[in-house]
Amino acid sequence: MSPQVGGVQRQWALKSVEETDWVVPFKVFTQRDLEKIEQIARLPAAMRFEMRVVSSVLPFRVNKYVIDELIDWSNIPADPIFQLTFPQRGMLAPEHFERMAALMRSGADKAEIERVAHQIRHELNPHPADQMEMNMPRDADGRRLEGMQHKYRETVLFFPSQGQTCHSYCTFCFRWAQFVGDKELRIAASEASELHDYLRHHTEVTDLLFTGGDPMVMKTKHLQAYLEPLLHPDFDHIQTIRIGTKALTFWPYRFHAAADSDELIRLLERMVKGGKHVAIMAHYNHWKELDTEAARSAIRRIRATGAVIRAQGPLIRHINDDPAVWAKMWQMQVKLGIVPYYMFVERDTGARNYFEVPLERAWQIYREAMQRVSGLARTARGPSMSASPGKVEVQGVTEIAGEKVFALRFIQGRNPDWVQRPFYAKYDPEATWLDDLRPAFGEEQFFFEDEYADLREQKLALAAATDD
Ligand SMILES: *Cc1c(COP(=O)(O)O)cnc(C)c1O
C-alpha cells in the first residue's frame, strides 16, 4: 500500500523483529519534494537552487532512513552519504548547469525544462560500454531479448520489470538513464518465461544475476516467480543466483520489517536448500552504510538463510577516495560475515567529471587499503573497469625496460581467452578509463583490439539484419 501523503509516497513497515520494535514508514522524496525535507529547508537558498537545477537533469530519490540515519547533517556538503544521494552543483558541467539555471530563473515551464534536460542527458553518454547493442541476447529466431544482458559466457544478467527502481538513487549511478523518464533510454524488461526459456537452452550459463534498478524493491511474490522455477532439474546448470542490491544500505527494513520480509527470507532459504548458491551482491561505498542496527539486523537475517553476502562498489571522489575508508569498510564487512568482492572504477557516464579518480590514484588507494587489512579482506579485486571488451583490472604502475607503464589484466573478457593475460599501457597520470590508455612499448594496439572490433562488427551486422 502506498498512500500519497502531501505528494510524498508512504509505505508502512509494521513488524517487530528480534528484540527491536520497528514501526517504520517508507517515506521517499523526489525532485518535487526536495524542499519538504526538513534538513534541506534549513540550507542556504543558493544551495537549494543548485540542487533543483541538477536534479532536473539527473535522477534524485532519497528516503527518510537515509536522511535520518545515514547522513551526518552537521557535515554538509562533505558527508559521504549526502554526496552519495543528494545533487551537487559540480555534477553538471558548467555550461550545462548555466543553461538549466538560466532557464529555471526565467520561470520556464515544465515542458521546456524537460526538453532541455533531455538534450543534456543525451550528451552524458547514457549507455556506456555499448550495453544496448553488444550485450543483448537473442532468441532462436534472432529476436532481441530486451530484459537480459549476456556478455560473459557464465553469467546472464536479468532486469525484472518490477525491479527497475531503487529505494534511493546514487548520484553516480551508471544506470542513471533508466530513472529519468526518457523511455527510449531505458533498458526494458522481459518476462519470467522468456528468461527461463533462454536459460533452459544455454547450459553454458552457471550464474544468473538479477539486477536493476534494485530487484529487492520487488514484492517477494514477484521475485519468487522468477526464482522458484529454477529449482527444476532443467536448470541444474544454474549453480548460482546472484541478486544485486543496495537495499542493505538504503532500506534494510526490506529484510525484517516489510509485510513480506518473512516470505522473502523463506524464499532465500528454499533456494539454498534446493541446492543453489544464493549470493546477495550488496553495493557498498562507505563503512557508514554498515553502521546502523537496522543494517546489521538485515545482514544477520540474510546470512542465517545460508545465502552469502558479497560486497562491491565503485571508488568515487567526494565519497570514498581514501584508503582509510576502504580498509575500514572491508574490515567491517569481514567482521559481519560479508565477502569483499570488487572495487570498481567510476564509469564513463553521467556525472563522471565530478566523481572520477585517475587510474593511478585508484590503484594507490586500493594498494594502501589492502596493506592495512588481513588476507580475509583482500578478496576484493580491483580497481576494475567494466569496459566494453571486458573487466580490466589495474594491477599497478611499474617500469619495464626503462618505460613507465600500467600493468593491466582482464578479470572478465568477451572472449574468455583474454582473461588473466597481462598487458601494458603507456603511463598516463591523467587517464581515468581504458579509452584514455595507449599500448606501451611503441605498439600500435592492444592484443585484443582486432578481435574485439570483429566481434563488434558481427553484433552490429546481426542487429541490422534482424531488427526493423
Ligand atoms: C561483472 C559482470 C558480470 C559478472 O562477472 P563476475 O566477474 O563473474 O562477477 C556479468 N555480466 C556483466 C555484464 C558484468 O559487467
Side-chain angles (χ1 to χ4, degrees), residues 173-398:
C173 180
F174 79 92
R175 296 216 174 108
W176 62 275
Q178 279 175 247
F179 309 127
V180 282
D182 284 354
K183 266 211 193 91
E184 79 272 26
L185 293 183
R186 219 174 280 163
I187 303 173
S190 62
E191 307 195 6
S193 62
E194 223 172 37
L195 169 70
H196 297 142
D197 283 347
Y198 187 79
L199 293 177
R200 217 177 266 113
H201 294 110
H202 285 265
T203 51
E204 77 279 16
V205 176
T206 58
D207 289 40
L208 171 62
L209 169 53
F210 285 82
T211 183
D214 190 330
M216 286 300 180
V217 304
M218 278 195 274
K219 290 200 169 75
T220 302
K221 67 176 186 199
H222 292 137
L223 199 55
Q224 185 175 338
Y226 294 119
L227 288 184
E228 204 132 38
L230 299 171
L231 294 174
H232 189 277
D234 281 3
F235 302 103
D236 278 352
H237 55 290
I238 307 297
Q239 298 168 11
T240 301
I241 292 163
R242 309 192 205 181
I243 304 174
T245 184
K246 186 109 188 160
L248 281 167
T249 293
F250 284 155
W251 188 237
Y253 299 108
R254 174 68 188 96
F255 301 96
H256 46 56
D260 60 355
S261 294
D262 292 351
E263 263 175 74
L264 172 62
I265 294 299
R266 283 196 298 268
L267 172 64
L268 298 181
E269 264 167 11
R270 283 199 302 282
M271 299 308 292
V272 172
K273 289 215 177 83
K276 302 297 185 193
H277 174 72
V278 177
I280 304 298
M281 307 303 291
H283 182 158
Y284 283 117
N285 305 100
H286 200 282
W287 55 263
K288 283 185 157 204
E289 300 163 82
L290 296 154
D291 209 21
T292 72
E293 185 44 39
R296 292 185 173 198
S297 204
I299 291 165
R300 283 195 296 274
R301 239 191 148 200
I302 290 170
R303 292 191 59 227
T305 67
V308 172
I309 306 173
R310 297 179 195 274
Q312 56 186 26
L315 170 57
I316 301 283
R317 191 152 59 94
H318 301 291
I319 296 177
N320 61 18
D321 54 335
D322 175 354
V325 169
W326 284 88
K328 183 166 177 175
M329 180 171 77
W330 285 335
Q331 280 168 330
M332 278 170 76
Q333 285 167 352
V334 169
K335 191 170 170 192
L336 295 167
I338 298 173
V339 184
Y341 187 58
Y342 273 137
M343 173 203 269
F344 292 119
V345 176
E346 163 63 3
R347 288 211 197 197
D348 52 342
T349 182
R352 62 99 55 108
N353 290 323
Y354 186 75
F355 292 118
E356 68 191 355
V357 176
L359 294 176
E360 182 182 28
R361 178 72 191 133
W363 161 68
Q364 283 165 346
I365 291 170
Y366 176 82
R367 182 164 169 266
E368 283 175 41
M370 279 279 149
Q371 288 169 356
R372 295 179 197 192
V373 300
S374 91
L376 291 191
R378 293 185 190 179
T379 50
R381 286 165 299 162
S384 168
M385 293 174 267
S386 289
S388 189
K391 282 190 168 67
V392 176
E393 184 187 59
V394 180
Q395 297 217 280
V397 174
T398 188

Side-chain angles (χ1 to χ4, degrees), residues 135 149 151-152 155 157 242 341-342 381 386 391 412:
N135 300 348
Q149 288 189 23
K151 178 172 177 179
Y152 306 126
T155 305
L157 267 55
R242 309 192 205 181
Y341 187 58
Y342 273 137
R381 286 165 299 162
S386 289
K391 282 190 168 67
Q412 277 288 11

Side-chain angles (χ1 to χ4, degrees), residues 12-23:
W12 294 90
L14 301 161
K15 204 127 197 267
S16 96
V17 185
E18 297 173 2
E19 62 292 346
T20 321
D21 269 333
W22 276 309
V23 178

